């Protein structure tokens, strides 16, 4: 079984567009949980264009109401991020190497170059009982340093898989199978998450082939699908009102 953690950043982006509280992020996250999510993920970026640091406490309180629902916070571990995340104490933090202005996460950690930094940061979270996952490329290059860094989990960056899936799914998944086999052999205690650009078309195949994936975090496609699947019913509701006036 793989947990589905819904990334609610895009809902926050819509909320922020009007400077009001619509949609209400806590209500949307509650609906995500009640409709079947196993967890809520957020990625508060330094410019707070999606989820804001001030949202974190309320979302943590929400997920705390449910026994098996996890709260995962992603982000670059700046001093400010580390402090805010330790204060909120989510179930999991996912460390990404994004520069502050990044549109979205677009590469995993170079574990060789960041070995000391990641080791120190992970120790801080661990002392506070927060599980740590780090975002990695689908390649074993630089991963030997995981011996020292010792994260609880790694999150496979699935952009390349999603990009190549439509052309040739067997070759799209090949590097992911290789890195999973490497991790299983060298680091059997490190568990596996996956995320980025996963959607209704490509999710099933990766989970069938890499059953070790404990959690997927999905945001963009899920929000687009919700618009798609909800559009017909929504317009019908408006039509009832407009036709009523004719
Ligand atoms: N994992 C990480 C580290 C991310 O930064 C993101 C996007 O915020 C995701 C997963 C989810 O990607 P998507 O929105 O494409 O589903």
């Amino acid at each position: 079984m793989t947990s589905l953690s819904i990334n609610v950043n895009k809902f926050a982006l819509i909320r922020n567009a009007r400077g009001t509280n619509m949609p209400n992020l806590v209500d949307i996250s509650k609906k995500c949980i009640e409709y079947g999510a196993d967890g809520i993920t957020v990625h508060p970026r330094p410019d707070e264009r999606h989820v804001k640091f001030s949202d974190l406490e309320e979302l943590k309180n929400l997920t705390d109401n449910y026994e098996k629902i996890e709260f995962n916070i992603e982000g670059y571990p700046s001093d400010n991020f580390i402090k805010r995340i330790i204060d909120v104490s989510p179930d999991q933090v996912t460390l990404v190497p994004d520069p502050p202005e990044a549109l979205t996460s677009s590469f995993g950690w170079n574990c060789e170059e960041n070995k000391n930094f990641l080791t120190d940061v992970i120790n801080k979270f661990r002392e506070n009982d927060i599980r740590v996952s780090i975002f990695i490329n689908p390649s074993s290059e630089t991963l030997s340093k995981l011996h020292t860094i010792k994260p609880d989990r790694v999150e496979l960056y699935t952009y390349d898989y999603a990009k190549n899936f439509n052309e040739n799914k067997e070759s799209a998944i090949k590097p992911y199978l290789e890195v999973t086999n490497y991790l299983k052999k060298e680091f059997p205690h490190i568990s596996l998450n996956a995320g980025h650009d996963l959607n209704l078309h490509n999710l099933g195949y990766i989970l069938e082939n890499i059953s070790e994936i404990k959690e997927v975090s999905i945001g963009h496609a899920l929000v687009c699908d919700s618009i798609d699947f909800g559009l017909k019913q929504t317009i019908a509701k408006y039509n009832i009102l407009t036709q009523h006036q004719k």
Side-chain angles (χ1 to χ4, degrees), residues 7 9-10 43 45 74 94 96 98 104-105 135 155 195-198 217-221:
N7 181 322
N9 260 37
K10 286 278 144 59
H43 192 145
R45 293 187 183 274
E74 305 167 345
T94 300
V96 295
D98 291 357
T104 184
S105 309
F135 200 46
E155 178 180 327
H196 226 288
D197 297 284
L198 294 174
S217 60
I218 305 185
H220 189 83

Side-chain angles (χ1 to χ4, degrees), residues 222-235:
L222 190 140
V223 172
C224 294
D225 289 335
S226 320
I227 296 171
D228 203 7
F229 295 127
L231 196 58
K232 193 173 171 189
Q233 293 91 320
T234 307
I235 293 176

Side-chain angles (χ1 to χ4, degrees), residues 3 68-69 74:
S3 300
K68 290 195 175 136
I69 299 298
E74 305 167 345

